[in-house]
Amino acid sequence: MRENCLKTVYELAKTDERIVFVGSDLGVGVLAEFKRDMPDRFFMEGVAEQNLVGVAAGLAMEGHVVYLNTIATFLSRRCYEQVAVDLCLHNVNVRLIANGGGVVYAPLGPTHLATEDIAIMRALPNMAVVAPADAKEMIRFMHASVDHAGPIYIRVAKGHDPIVTTQTGPFVIGKAVPMRTGGEVLLVTTGVGLQVCLAAADQLAAGGVKAAVLHFPTIKPFDTEALHAHAEGAAAIVAVEEHTIIGGLGGACAEYLAETDLLASRKFKRVGIPDVFPSVYGDQNGMMRKYGISAEAVAATATTLLSARPKPVRIAA
Amino acid sequence: MTTTRLDERSKDLRRVIVRTLQKARRGHVGAAFSLIEIFRVLYDDVLRFNPQDPKWKGRDRCILSKGHGCLALYALLADKGYFPPAELDKFCAADGILGGHPDAGKVPGVEASTGALGHGLPIGVGIALSQRIAKRDSRVFVVLGDGECNEGSVWEAAMCAGKHGLSSLTAIVDYNKHQSYASTKEVQDLEPFADKWRSFGFAVREVDGHDVAALRATFTALPFAADKPSAIIAHTVKGKGAHFAENNMKWHHKNKVTDQEVEALLAAIGEA
């Protein structure tokens, strides 16, 4: 996904002179072809991320469309004020390509796990937050990103994730994608959570339970219209994400569902990382499984919710 | 320490600041009085700009990174016609555009919203790089506070500007040697300050930041080196122009300013 994301930046930059690339201290040879072909628009500025965000803001203030790449935690945690003030307050066209959103860097420990990046980016006015599910969706999104007005946080997954999306048309920022429709259960997800939810829906179907899957490649702006439409037909809703359960996609769903009174006759559950710094290593899939972000656990959560759904309210005569 | 006498224009600009302060009853007086000559010379003699077209591409960019010094910037922007002087009467008011820190979205002539320290120089570096890509000759001036130079992001940006040899970029430090709590020496000593900038790849000059002629001569010499960014360390006095506010930390940020204090400030300026 990351490779395709950066490759698309290069391809877009070849025909659009506004596009500039800014990196921190990335791996050897990253975007070597960009540096070779467009050296005046390629910047690799070292382990100085706060400066990087400010520089990107300055470039964007002058009309450039800036793609800035570094590790997700450094953009979300270290540079939060620069992102808020330099990018969001000025509402400039900087696209933050955030490597390793979620628990991609499981072997490297909690300093490198971006488990609250969606929540903190979602809190910023003007910021769009995008988490494609696979490389194909990432490429479609990247084409849509060029002319979007304002900053974008792009959550990049590990790479070599299975291709699970099927759309081929233009990516529309701010629109949810119904992957499966109809059924007692609605699985709502984002990023690589989509592959988990599709597998969970298969498992539920094998058990005789039909599940809809609504994918949010854009978490902000949040497509409340799609959530509303799909939630209405469901008895149980499960929000699944590779992120803390606080303030991410599940939080966005909970806020909307509660405020529109859609929870009165429905059960709702957030599935994600609990309020902890994950303390084990291993790999991304193992860590996701540990916290219930797996097909089996999501299917089980949905089944439990269905069995606990509220009884119809009887109104006394 | 400078003992420069102020001429009538410097005094008049300070009077504008005091009148602005009087309506809001608050503001960073010490910081504004400290850097007013820097802005005066920039806007009177150095910068290319067009108040009728604030976003004119050929303009020089000037960023007040120490956003709390904005009373000085507002005095010059009003003086040059970016907005009607009556707007100064609404400083920090709900129906005004002039906040306690400058807002680029609201105030014509303000290039970047600042106030959180350590942001101006990185943005200035980005703007200078953009001018280089576009092969434009606009210059970029970033006015920093000395206390602000405690921020690591200032030195990240300095490193970056030095690496790229951004001769169109000038960092100007209002070096009044005081920050909010106490002297810079006591809180976070910056010395050897000029050497720090030199070691990051800047060509450096030091100047009396209240001496208008010396400032003009320094700005005229820019860039100090053909392949380096420039740094001007302007030695100033916090609160310069009102003897009781000079180097007096009570006047770093002042609120609930009384009419008596306003009168005292005006009287002191007259004697400066």
Side-chain angles (χ1 to χ4, degrees):
Chain A
M1 186 187 287
R2 179 178 168 232
E3 195 181 318
N4 281 282
C5 175
L6 295 182
K7 194 167 157 239
T8 311
V9 174
Y10 167 67
E11 283 165 6
L12 291 166
K14 279 200 293 188
T15 57
D16 191 333
E17 291 194 344
R18 295 173 301 164
I19 293 176
V20 169
F21 179 80
V22 180
S24 56
D25 179 31
L26 305 175
V28 178
V30 166
L31 278 181
E33 64 278 28
F34 196 129
K35 188 178 179 183
R36 180 194 65 210
D37 296 346
M38 297 164 280
D40 58 331
R41 288 188 276 142
F42 179 90
F43 299 97
M44 193 66 74
E45 300 305 316
V47 193
E49 294 88 357
Q50 297 173 76
N51 175 58
L52 223 61
V53 176
V55 166
L59 286 159
M61 285 171 181
E62 295 294 321
H64 294 288
V65 178
V66 184
Y67 287 83
L68 191 168
N69 183 210
T70 190
I71 289 176
T73 49
F74 308 152
L75 287 169
S76 55
R77 290 177 179 167
R78 185 192 300 268
C79 297
Y80 196 52
E81 188 179 86
Q82 278 75 18
V83 171
V85 174
D86 301 351
L87 306 187
C88 294
L89 181 59
H90 293 94
N91 199 21
V92 288
N93 296 331
V94 174
R95 289 76 177 93
L96 300 173
I97 301 172
N99 292 351
V103 295
V104 168
Y105 293 125
L108 304 184
T111 59
H112 281 56
L113 303 186
T115 49
E116 72 291 303
D117 56 338
I118 293 175
I120 61 182
M121 289 295 167
R122 194 168 76 85
L124 290 172
N126 295 330
M127 180 63 92
V129 181
V130 175
D134 58 31
K136 283 199 168 172
E137 187 168 54
M138 175 62 86
I139 293 168
R140 291 172 49 244
F141 158 70
M142 289 300 285
H143 283 272
S145 71
V146 180
D147 289 319
H148 176 82
I152 311 175
Y153 180 79
I154 308 165
R155 199 181 210 227
V156 184
K158 179 172 57 180
H160 308 295
D161 293 294
I163 301 298
V164 290
T165 58
T166 51
Q167 286 67 36
T168 52
F171 185 105
V172 182
I173 294 171
K175 284 289 172 201
V177 182
M179 299 296 296
R180 300 200 186 164
T181 56
E184 298 167 271
V185 173
L186 172 63
L187 303 178
V188 180
T189 191
T190 186
V192 296
L194 179 57
Q195 55 184 278
V196 173
C197 287
L198 291 171
D202 288 342
Q203 291 193 10
L204 286 164
V209 175
K210 194 169 180 218
V213 178
L214 183 59
H215 169 43
F216 283 81
T218 312
I219 300 138
K220 190 185 181 188
F222 188 51
D223 189 351
T224 55
E225 203 176 308
L227 177 66
H228 195 115
H230 290 82
E232 276 188 319
I237 302 164
V238 185
V240 180
E241 62 195 312
E242 184 197 6
H243 183 268
T244 169
I245 57 169
I246 298 171
L249 176 71
C253 290
E255 290 159 14
Y256 180 76
L257 294 170
E259 286 187 347
T260 47
D261 210 22
L262 277 165
L263 292 177
S265 57
R266 291 175 190 84
K267 298 297 284 184
F268 173 74
K269 181 85 178 164
R270 293 169 298 163
V271 169
I273 312 286
D275 187 19
V276 297
F277 290 101
S279 59
V280 295
Y281 303 107
D283 61 21
Q284 181 187 18
N285 289 336
M287 193 169 276
M288 286 170 68
R289 270 198 305 279
K290 174 181 163 66
Y291 292 112
I293 311 166
S294 66
E296 297 75 17
V298 169
T301 299
T303 307
T304 306
L305 285 190
L306 276 181
S307 64
R309 77 184 108 175
K311 303 277 184 292
V313 177
R314 285 171 192 272
I315 298 169
Chain B
M1 200 65 65
T2 81
T3 52
T4 312
R5 296 285 304 224
L6 301 179
D7 64 12
E8 279 310 305
R9 177 150 173 79
S10 279
K11 290 181 182 181
D12 282 344
L13 288 165
R14 280 177 175 74
R15 290 185 188 104
V16 170
I17 290 171
V18 174
R19 292 300 179 197
T20 305
L21 184 80
Q22 186 178 16
K23 294 287 194 310
R25 305 259 169 222
R26 65 180 310 139
H28 286 86
V29 189
F33 279 14
S34 174
L35 56 71
I36 191 75
E37 277 70 42
I38 293 170
F39 272 135
R40 171 192 160 177
V41 174
L42 277 170
Y43 281 87
D44 282 356
D45 304 306
V46 178
L47 296 174
R48 290 183 302 187
F49 59 94
N50 179 3
Q52 275 68 53
D53 184 9
K55 295 287 180 189
W56 169 50
K57 277 195 174 173
R59 73 193 187 280
D60 291 330
R61 276 67 166 170
C62 180
I63 295 173
L64 174 60
S65 193
K66 53 174 293 184
H68 59 285
C70 61
L71 279 168
L73 175 61
Y74 295 161
L76 264 305
L77 293 178
D79 183 78
K80 296 298 176 190
Y82 276 98
F83 49 78
E87 195 60 50
L88 295 169
D89 295 341
K90 293 185 281 182
F91 175 59
C92 288
D95 60 346
I97 59 169
L98 306 177
H101 295 97
D103 187 330
K106 289 182 179 164
V107 188
V110 170
E111 296 284 353
S113 299
T114 52
L117 297 176
H119 291 247
L121 196 57
I123 290 174
V125 170
I127 292 174
L129 288 171
S130 177
Q131 302 304 323
R132 177 178 282 182
I133 294 169
K135 299 184 170 59
R136 281 199 292 264
D137 66 351
S138 293
R139 298 179 297 174
V140 184
F141 297 84
V142 180
V143 179
L144 299 127
D146 45 10
E148 179 176 19
C149 293
N150 296 170
E151 293 282 5
S153 53
V154 169
W155 302 103
E156 289 185 5
M159 206 162 25
C160 187
K163 165 191 161 183
H164 289 286
L166 290 174
S167 56
S168 66
L169 178 76
T170 302
I172 306 152
V173 183
D174 173 19
Y175 195 18
N176 59 39
K177 299 160 198 76
H178 288 79
Q179 50 195 106
S180 189
Y181 179 76
S183 70
T184 52
K185 191 168 180 58
E186 185 178 341
V187 178
Q188 186 60 50
D189 195 2
L190 296 165
E191 291 297 339
F193 199 37
D195 287 346
K196 280 194 173 69
W197 288 96
R198 279 190 200 100
S199 72
F200 280 81
F202 281 65
V204 186
R205 290 204 187 179
E206 302 191 49
V207 63
D208 176 342
H210 299 299
D211 183 335
V212 170
L215 281 166
R216 277 192 199 115
T218 304
F219 282 118
T220 303
L222 287 170
F224 303 145
D227 55 354
K228 288 181 175 182
S230 303
I232 298 173
I233 297 174
H235 293 277
T236 57
V237 175
K238 193 154 189 162
K240 172 76 178 179
H243 60 86
F244 57 87
E246 289 183 3
N247 302 321
N248 178 350
M249 299 317 296
K250 286 182 184 162
W251 285 88
H252 169 77
H253 178 256
K254 191 82 173 155
N255 59 15
K256 297 177 184 153
V257 175
T258 64
D259 286 335
Q260 288 78 7
E261 285 171 323
V262 166
E263 291 312 314
L265 281 168
L266 292 172
I269 290 165
E271 295 158 9

